[in-house]
Amino acid sequence: MIGDLRQWIELQGDKMEVTRERYQSAQEVKKQLTLKVEELERKLETTNAQNIEFLQVIAKREESIHQCQLRLEEKTCECSSLARQLEMAIEDAKKQVEQTRERAASRERAAQSKMLDLETQLSRNKTELNQLRRSKDDAERRYESRLQDLKDRLEQSESTNRSMQNYVQFLKSSYANVFGESALLGYPSRSRSSP
């Protein structure tokens, strides 16, 4: 009986040793999983910050296009006004010619000079208007290209976020399957509040 008892004690001791080794191994796995989840959460935070930066860039581009549109509208109104002034000057010159030759000659020279100035100014404004239109078109093309690029990067970033979130959820589920639901109570609060 003493021999059997000794054998039983040794067997129980071996079982306790195996259980202790399994427990230590499980603790190491838990530690590695916790570190992995925290690293993924840091990556998620970085990605969210980049998304905010992309949205700010898009807002600035939209504001730039809006300012170009305002300047274009301003120049268009100015050209229309100058065109009306030119038409009025031409009509005035015709009336002066009809009244008297001498006065018409003097008025015509003044009108011609004024028309020349107005035509020069109108030509200059039209040139500026065309330049503004080209600048606006170029800005819109660059904006569209940049916007598409940012949308692609934002979509890729969101896809990466979803993949990371799914992986974090997978790790949590794996953690729960390995250690049981009660083990999640001791899990870091940051992991539970991750998006």
Side-chain angles (χ1 to χ4, degrees):
M1 288 180 61
I2 293 175
D4 291 342
L5 182 59
R6 184 180 294 112
Q7 227 175 16
W8 182 82
I9 291 173
E10 289 176 355
L11 181 61
Q12 293 302 315
D14 292 339
K15 288 182 179 180
M16 287 180 63
E17 182 64 23
V18 170
T19 302
R20 187 180 64 83
E21 290 177 356
R22 287 181 178 175
Y23 174 77
Q24 290 177 347
S25 176
Q27 289 298 317
E28 183 63 25
V29 171
K30 174 183 176 182
K31 180 180 179 182
Q32 294 298 325
L33 286 174
T34 301
L35 293 175
K36 187 71 174 179
V37 170
E38 290 177 351
E39 180 183 357
L40 289 173
E41 287 178 341
R42 286 193 295 271
K43 288 182 179 179
L44 279 174
E45 290 174 359
T46 302
T47 303
N48 289 335
Q50 289 177 349
N51 289 346
I52 293 173
E53 183 180 350
F54 292 155
L55 293 175
Q56 291 174 346
V57 170
I58 291 173
K60 288 181 180 178
R61 294 292 182 184
E62 290 177 346
E63 178 62 22
S64 176
I65 293 296
H66 178 66
Q67 293 299 325
C68 287
Q69 181 66 32
L70 291 178
R71 287 198 296 272
L72 178 61
E73 292 175 357
E74 181 182 351
K75 287 296 180 182
T76 302
C77 292
E78 186 176 349
C79 286
S80 298
S81 176
L82 288 172
R84 287 193 297 271
Q85 292 180 30
L86 179 60
E87 291 176 1
M88 292 174 61
I90 292 173
E91 290 298 324
D92 182 65
K94 288 180 179 179
K95 289 179 182 179
Q96 295 299 328
V97 169
E98 291 175 358
Q99 288 179 1
T100 62
R101 246 176 226 286
E102 277 183 27
R103 293 177 60 190
S106 176
R107 294 291 181 94
E108 187 176 357
R109 286 192 296 271
Q112 289 292 339
S113 176
K114 184 176 181 180
M115 284 189 293
L116 181 61
D117 292 339
L118 287 172
E119 286 173 348
T120 301
Q121 188 174 358
L122 179 61
S123 176
R124 185 167 55 249
N125 283 334
K126 283 183 177 180
T127 300
E128 292 178 2
L129 179 61
N130 290 333
Q131 290 176 348
L132 278 173
R133 282 175 177 166
R134 286 193 296 271
S135 298
K136 177 179 175 290
D137 292 340
D138 291 339
E140 286 180 346
R141 283 193 294 271
R142 289 194 301 270
Y143 168 76
E144 289 297 331
S145 176
R146 178 62 177 166
L147 181 60
Q148 186 61 43
D149 180 62
L150 288 173
K151 284 181 179 178
D152 292 341
R153 291 171 67 184
L154 184 59
E155 183 178 349
Q156 182 180 5
S157 176
E158 289 176 349
S159 176
T160 302
N161 280 352
R162 287 192 296 271
S163 297
M164 287 184 178
Q165 289 173 352
N166 290 335
Y167 187 55
V168 169
Q169 188 61 38
F170 168 76
L171 288 177
K172 289 182 179 179
S173 299
S174 300
Y175 185 90
N177 290 334
V178 172
F179 302 104
E181 292 295 333
S182 60
L184 286 176
L185 298 176
Y187 196 77
S189 59
R190 218 173 81 185
S191 300
R192 293 197 300 271
S193 62
S194 62

